[in-house]
Amino acid sequence: MSDVYYDPYDFDIDADPYPVFKRLREEAPLYYNDRYDFYAVSRYGDVERGLVDAKRFVSSRGGILELIKANIDMPPGTLIFEDPPSHTIHRSLLSRVFTPRRVAALEPKIREFCARSLDPLVGSNGFDFIADLGAQMPIRVIGMLFGIPEADQDAIREGADANLRTEAGQPMQVSGTPTFGSEMFAEYIDWRVDHPSDDLMSELLRAEFEDESGATRRLTRDEALLYTTVVAGAGNETTTRLIGWAGKVLAEHPDQRRQLAGDRSLIPNAIEELLRYEPPGPAIGRYMPEDVDLYDRTVPAGSAMLFIVGAANRDERRFEDPDRFDIHREIGQHLTFGYGIHFCLGAALARLEGRIALDEVLSRFPEWEVDYDRAKLAPTSTVRGWETFPVTVP
């Protein structure tokens, strides 16, 4: 028996989880935490197979450990926490309005948002990757997509962030049926019903689809509200964290940073390697409605399973020298955006935002050093990244 201990709420482990992840892969590929009563797998093959198996590992009880353990029913429209057939219907509806062409067309506006954040900092002796860029650009993109006035965007972002907050060392508190803060968007939904535009919210409200009962209809107000909230929350927090990790990892690898500054064609693969190396969402939870045999043990029905993406992305069985950051790596498939039917619908947008943000930073600040005395990790169990990440520039 291994004495390795993994606790997603342990702030010390979270600061650098990779030694623990390595031990899990080697010593406890099927891990059980009796304090919080969950199982976990950490090898790439196990995580990949589990994420694809939507029958034995279901999403409708939530993809976050605290939600699964709370034993509550998810409200309809919570796309990332649904199973077929409702997931299939709702996902196809969103993918109709989240097309690759629509995402690609956002590039000029995303560059403009980055420039608005970064240009005033030119000539200063430093900036904060989170406060000055990561907390601003992604919510502006979400605001543009959903028609949320800029004056209200900071309040929306802070509300979405607050829904993910935990006390250090403590699980997220869940009481009753979660709304994920959807009341924040109620005013905009109601306005858009009477004043349609060409934004994503208007398109969602007028899109017709065939539901589980075979009826052709539009989204209800509550469904549209929840859709908006889930997409806004998922698209904001994770991209913010990605930008922070770009600041840290490239500060630690100045030679590779200089290569990127000199050859911007390397940036897309660098973003993929960043996503593999420091995934903003280190684990994905699933509920198990039936017994599953793994590693000569039976995981009983009713269990919560964590698929530790952060460990799988550094599995020696899948990646050569996986603890080395390498912008030239031939990555193939990492699991940061999930896998199977729940593969992140916003992956193309997150990649685009990450590429543009890094490109725009390098154009103005090709060199930086981290002020670790003022850098602070965010205390959440759902995403992992920096709350503040100040750097100095020459």
Side-chain angles (χ1 to χ4, degrees), residues 59-363:
S59 300
S60 54
R61 293 278 287 274
I64 299 167
L65 184 58
E66 294 94 321
L67 292 176
I68 298 169
K69 302 303 293 182
N71 191 21
I72 49 182
D73 292 322
M74 290 293 143
T78 321
L79 180 69
I80 55 177
F81 303 147
E82 288 184 326
D83 297 311
S86 56
H87 172 266
T88 310
I89 293 165
H90 288 143
R91 184 183 174 94
S92 67
L93 181 62
L94 198 55
S95 62
R96 276 165 33 194
V97 298
F98 236 120
T99 62
R101 185 174 59 83
R102 184 175 201 134
V103 170
L106 297 173
E107 178 161 348
K109 289 300 292 184
I110 296 174
R111 287 198 183 275
E112 182 186 314
F113 294 148
C114 287
R116 277 176 51 189
S117 294
L118 294 171
D119 282 349
L121 304 168
V122 173
S124 67
N125 60 359
F127 65 99
D128 189 314
F129 266 86
I130 303 301
D132 293 322
L133 181 60
Q136 294 187 27
M137 180 269 283
I139 193 63
R140 282 180 177 148
V141 175
I142 294 292
M144 176 179 62
L145 287 172
F146 285 112
I148 298 164
E150 279 205 13
D152 299 341
Q153 288 173 13
D154 280 346
I156 293 284
R157 175 182 56 78
E158 287 164 12
D161 284 0
N163 282 318
L164 294 167
R165 292 291 112 164
T166 57
E167 295 295 320
Q170 298 295 317
M172 183 172 64
Q173 297 303 306
V174 180
S175 57
T177 301
T179 63
F180 306 103
S182 58
E183 58 279 356
M184 294 185 296
F185 293 96
E187 195 182 321
Y188 310 114
I189 287 268
D190 294 340
W191 167 260
R192 276 289 171 252
V193 168
D194 297 325
H195 304 85
S197 178
D198 61 351
D199 57 35
L200 192 57
M201 193 182 285
S202 300
E203 218 161 312
L204 276 176
L205 287 167
R206 62 175 172 252
E208 293 193 339
F209 65 99
E210 188 177 301
D211 70 13
E212 299 94 313
S213 69
T216 298
R217 65 179 181 88
R218 294 179 178 182
L219 287 175
T220 66
R221 177 183 181 275
D222 286 349
E223 285 173 332
L225 204 48
L226 211 47
Y227 250 76
T228 302
T229 308
V230 169
V231 173
N236 178 56
E237 178 84 3
T238 49
T239 308
T240 300
R241 302 297 160 226
L242 170 62
I243 290 169
W245 286 121
K248 179 178 188 289
V249 175
L250 291 173
E252 293 172 341
H253 298 84
D255 290 350
Q256 296 190 57
R257 181 180 62 196
R258 288 179 197 119
Q259 290 180 50
L260 292 170
D263 182 357
R264 304 306 169 85
S265 71
L266 300 173
I267 287 179
N269 200 65
I271 292 296
E272 292 306 305
E273 176 70 341
L274 276 165
L275 288 162
R276 179 197 72 85
Y277 190 75
E278 290 286 13
I284 298 170
R286 293 287 186 263
Y287 174 77
M288 298 172 55
E290 59 185 67
D291 291 356
V292 174
D293 292 327
L294 283 166
Y295 292 98
D296 301 321
R297 290 161 64 188
T298 298
V299 181
S303 295
M305 175 67 77
L306 278 187
F307 295 113
I308 308 179
V309 168
N313 278 351
R314 295 207 191 188
D315 189 349
E316 298 85 348
R317 295 159 194 78
R318 178 67 178 75
F319 300 102
E320 187 178 339
D321 196 6
D323 290 322
R324 176 173 55 86
F325 177 76
D326 180 7
I327 60 171
H328 302 288
R329 182 188 297 275
E330 292 184 20
I331 299 163
Q333 176 78 38
H334 59 68
L335 298 174
T336 297
F337 291 120
Y339 200 63
I341 63 169
H342 280 279
F343 182 82
C344 175
L345 258 176
L349 179 58
R351 285 172 163 134
L352 181 66
E353 288 179 309
R355 290 199 299 263
I356 293 171
L358 182 53
D359 189 23
E360 295 293 325
V361 167
L362 288 168
S363 291

Side-chain angles (χ1 to χ4, degrees), residues 11 14-16 127-131 135 161 165-169 237 240-241 243-245 247-248 370-380 383-391:
F11 205 63
D14 194 53
D16 180 14
F127 65 99
D128 189 314
F129 266 86
I130 303 301
D161 284 0
R165 292 291 112 164
T166 57
E167 295 295 320
E237 178 84 3
T240 300
R241 302 297 160 226
I243 290 169
W245 286 121
K248 179 178 188 289
V370 182
D371 181 356
Y372 280 108
D373 289 340
R374 295 191 297 130
K376 180 185 172 192
L377 272 172
T380 87
V383 291
R384 178 173 173 268
W386 298 91
E387 189 161 277
T388 61
F389 201 76
V391 298

